[in-house]
Amino acid sequence: MTTLRETPPQRLRPLVPVRARAALTLAACSLMGLVAFGWPFFVTPGPALDTSHAADAPWLFALLLPLLAAVVVAELTSGGMDAKAVALLGVLAAVGAALRALGPGTAGIEPTFLVIVLGGRVFGRGFGFVLGAVTIFAGALVTGGVGPWLPFQMFAAGWVGFFAGALPQVRGRTEVWTVAVYGLVAGVAYGALMNLWFWPFAAYGPEVSYAPGDSLAANAHRYGVFYLTTSLGYDVPRGVFTMLLVLLLGPAVLAALRRAARRAAFDATPTFVPPPEQPWR
Amino acid sequence: MIRFERVSVTYASAGKPALSDVTLDIDEGELVLVVGRTGSGKSTLLRTINGLVPHFSGGTLQGRVVVDGRDTRLFRPRDLADAVGFVGQDPLAGFVTDRVEDELAYGMESLSLPPQVMRKRVEETLDVLGLADLRQRALADLSGGQRQRVAIGSVLTMHPRVLVLDEPTSALDPQASEEVLATLQRLVHDLGLTVVIAEHRLERVVQYADRVVYLPGAGGRVVSGTPRDMMRVSELTPPVVELGLWAGWAPLPLSVREARRAAGGLRARLTENGSPRKPASDVGTACTRVEELVVSYSGVPALRGVDLVTRHGQVTALMGRNGAGKSSLLAAMVGLVPVSSGRVEVEGIAPNSVRPAELMRRVGLVPQEPADLLYADTVSGECEQADRDAGAASGSCRHLFSALAPGVPDEVHPRDLSEGQRLSLVLAVVMNSGPAQLLLDEPTRGLDYTAKRRLVTAIRALASTGHAIVLATHDVELVAEVADRVVVLADGEVVADGPTAEVVVASPAFAPQVAKVLAPGPWLTVADVVTAAGAAS
Amino acid sequence: MRAAASLTLPRALHPGAWWLWALGLAAAASRTTNPVLLVLIIAVTGFVVTARRTDDPWAGAFSAFLKLSLVLIAIRVVLQALLSRSSQGVTVLFTLPEVPLPSWLAGVKLGGAVTAEAVLTATYAGLQLATILCCVGAANALASARRLLATVPGALYEAGVACVVALSFAPQLVTDARRIRQAHRLRGHSPRRLAGLRRTAMPVLEGALDRSIELAAAMDARGYGRTGNASPSSRRITTALVAGGLLSMCVGGYGLLDGSGAQLRGLPTLLLGTVLAGGGLAVGGRRTQRTRYRPDPWALPEWLVAGSGLSAAVALFATAATTPAVLTVPSPLALPAVPVAAVLGILVGLLPAVVAPPVPHRVGAVASRQPRTAQVSA
């Protein structure tokens, strides 16, 4: 079973191809997702949402987003993931979920990020998105953390995996640094997004809270203050930690994932030759 | 039932075929044993039966494999799921769900069988395999034999005509492997299933086989025939066959029962004037002292007052059923588990009181999963790290490894090594720091005869240079070959301790095949018999 | 079927029923900031969880959520008391030294006077979120994650299988990691160094990846992915439904955000979109024609449990429509009202403690909670 010969380095066929239909679905759902995260900024003064439904808007989106997440994941995987891709997805999600369970509370998200970022990087955009979403979902099930935030986290982590798969194709030290810097950015961006989701719930006083019906600039300013005072001090160390993890473990993990891809022979094309001295009917 | 027509398999990245020109016809209701050393293509042969090769693995299949009238060229593995049940080497790795009942039903769900049929088949399978008591249990909590039976059950529910098993008993202790083999026997005899098994542990299986397929490897021609005929040509034989061949018995015995009937004359001849095996004496000085040792895990005792002294130059075998405390004792001897009461001293020092770097110069442990100790991505990287850890001269670990397993290139990934090579690498890494004592936990799991012979040579060499060696093992043949002394543990206590021949010969559970054939004589291996007979004549 | 309708025969309740019950209570909580009602809802969920909890690993979720809620309230109180200038009332509890802040942070203070009004407002506002969290936590504790996965629609089959694999494999990984970390000692490494992370992570990951290949082979050999391709017409219907659904969701979402348009573009369009997209999922799911082994029944107990949660929601929505004043506290220091209808509605939520079938006693459950080594020696 052992193969000593190194296959020449080549780009792996994406495990979850993002075809036109899936890309359109992803784009539409992501647009809605973005609205679900950032609706306080998009609301124009005087609309229906911030008069009669002001308090309900976040819940409305929390109910809507699981459906959107389901549609995206279903669309991405509808090409029929084969057993190899599903097993790999399950096992990587298990690694991510186990890391999540080991980490105290939400702080355990960084090593999980490592799996999502590097998995997306090696196995492509589509796989990255599904990996992000499934890992967060499985982690929530393992730790009993299913809640209204879950679909938002799934989307955010899905994007983290997606863009990791879309990073430029470089190799060697450049690759590790590219992924590490991406890890930093992704860590901070994830934090900012999740805070944005939580913001309407966080009534810490009118100076830092979402004010329905106020102008975009005023709300953005308040969000900025909210983010700076409550979350930045947490998100930046988190991003830095993710980056350090990538620098420390990245090369080994990338090599392990690529080796697994080679061993699993995702591109395996069976060839059949009829038995010798016998015409094939 | 299964037809191979001039089948050759070449993997995409390999230069030469893994299997060449196999022609074979397996009839319905046969139990076929596939024999061959590691790397001879056993797994490849098994995997062509349900089309995993080449549909799953990639590569080229020349020729034709037809199972139950279906050509694997046209049917993918998943389309053959209701014709061929395939059970891989590690059952736990193949489980999708985590509960016995769900696992049995999983395959049927994929076949979209109606719910009533699924329910009925799960109940039937639970009964056939004796799993009814375990139906609600978590798979992770099952013993090795139970897991293997669940794995067999999980494919049986799809009602296949053929069952293919890759080394079903290699990782099991004797009792568990008896369970599994008895189950397979029943399936062949009662249900008329065709069963194909690849197995290293011939002494367990060969007597049940209707036919043996021998893969010589290295491009040699694959041959098949009755077990008796094939055992004459195979380079791999169980001790009882080896004894029969040496003694020239005809027909060649395959089981202890057959051999014992033929062995009357030999037994008499040896008993009259043969010399017994050389008695093992406590020649060396004491190395590790264990006194009144108690180890508990959250209140449940694993060891209850164990006394043991190991000596330089002596090979001690720890035997006993699973959970008797063998692994706990080894772990306590390297300070991996806290000591509840009593004392452990390695050359006068308590192992859990010294720094790891210091401890590894005194005692080394090769754990049950040798790969746990490996984390570099090449063999040479692993060896260099080991040199750095031990403060040894550069290249010394690599040198040790090459002596144990010659011809392995530097850049191979440790996980791509065969079981035997991986064990050798871990052994080299552990011995590199020069410990006076070596502990091995189940070292022969998954090893073929060749690798086992290498291990025996290595252990003997270490013992002769004054190392104290402790083996925890179920492998009675290994114990017969190398151990000077046997300590039997049961329920956390020492129940027997003495020279190998004394402890082992009278024991139904721990006697090797040769001892069973020649009991009550003190000969344990064919080599013992040959020596004794030489002295007799 | 009569057995499934029994309220006393032990069996696991359909996870969907627990979620509907919890969501009903959560919806009820979203209608009020009255602390009496909110605390009552927390008490109801806590009581039902205690009565019908299993010994699954996630059964401890409720207390975790409860703690999280308390932390959230505390953070809220501290931040509002310390940061906000305008929410402060006149009843000063104590005064902290105030830190001067730059001008662009106008309106925000740091320190200064802390008033009872600010503390109470923050507590009440936080209490609502905390109550909703407790409802969700109760659902987490009561609904089996594994059974929940068994109910995923067919369109999510692949992702569902991956989740099942992840769920069964994650605990094994934790065991592996522990064992490998221990083994570091055998190579002369102290386990607590940073390099130890790599030395643990890599063998665990490599082992997991190797396993994924074996698992894939086993799945393939057991018929995974055997029923595949949907007919072209059903594919076209799926595409149309999903596309239409997404489009109308986008339009509806825009309508909601941009209130200038008529109601037509708002909520109804959004709802139409969800229905279409949901239909698309359902039709798309038919491509995987699998059957299910012993699916959870939906019988009388499920109806009762789900209904009891919904009744709490209905009671609160009705109160909100008729006498909205009793659902809020007029001023932070005023005593909250006790609306009888709402209280009764919430108390109906206690019903599952009686009508949900008792938790089945699992054979081997006790053994599985003991450490592995202990169990083997037993």
Side-chain angles (χ1 to χ4, degrees), chain B residues 154-332:
Chain B
S154 72
V155 298
L156 271 189
T157 49
M158 293 181 276
H159 283 193
R161 311 287 308 277
V162 178
L163 197 57
V164 177
L165 301 108
D166 198 353
E167 302 192 11
T169 73
S170 287
L172 300 183
D173 62 62
Q175 291 91 334
S177 83
E178 279 303 315
E179 272 174 31
V180 171
L181 288 171
T183 304
L184 291 178
Q185 272 282 87
R186 198 156 67 240
L187 294 178
V188 171
H189 284 262
D190 294 358
L191 305 181
L193 239 64
T194 310
V195 175
V196 184
I197 307 181
E199 184 56 73
H200 288 311
R201 297 274 174 106
L202 294 180
E203 70 270 19
R204 291 175 175 173
V205 195
V206 74
Q207 50 197 319
Y208 300 116
D210 297 312
R211 185 126 69 105
V212 170
V213 176
Y214 174 54
L215 278 69
R221 215 181 132 62
V222 173
V223 283
S224 79
T226 64
R228 255 177 259 284
D229 292 343
M230 297 315 296
M231 282 301 106
R232 287 185 191 281
V233 295
S234 166
E235 57 167 348
L236 313 168
T237 50
V240 70
V241 170
E242 214 178 311
L243 185 68
L245 286 173
W246 171 80
W249 293 329
L252 191 64
L254 294 177
S255 65
V256 168
R257 192 173 97 103
E258 289 168 3
R260 208 167 156 80
R261 287 167 139 186
L266 177 67
R267 216 162 29 225
R269 191 150 53 99
L270 289 175
T271 323
E272 251 167 55
N273 33 18
S275 67
R277 186 182 162 119
K278 80 168 169 59
S281 51
D282 289 353
V283 278
T285 50
C287 181
T288 297
R289 281 175 196 284
V290 177
E291 285 169 19
E292 279 298 311
L293 177 66
V294 176
V295 169
S296 321
Y297 301 106
S298 40
V300 184
L303 295 175
R304 317 162 178 257
V306 169
D307 293 298
L308 182 73
V309 178
T310 67
R311 293 181 184 281
H312 289 285
Q314 189 187 48
V315 180
T316 308
L318 294 180
M319 303 192 77
R321 66 180 80 86
N322 275 335
K326 302 189 298 291
S327 294
S328 297
L329 182 54
L330 291 191

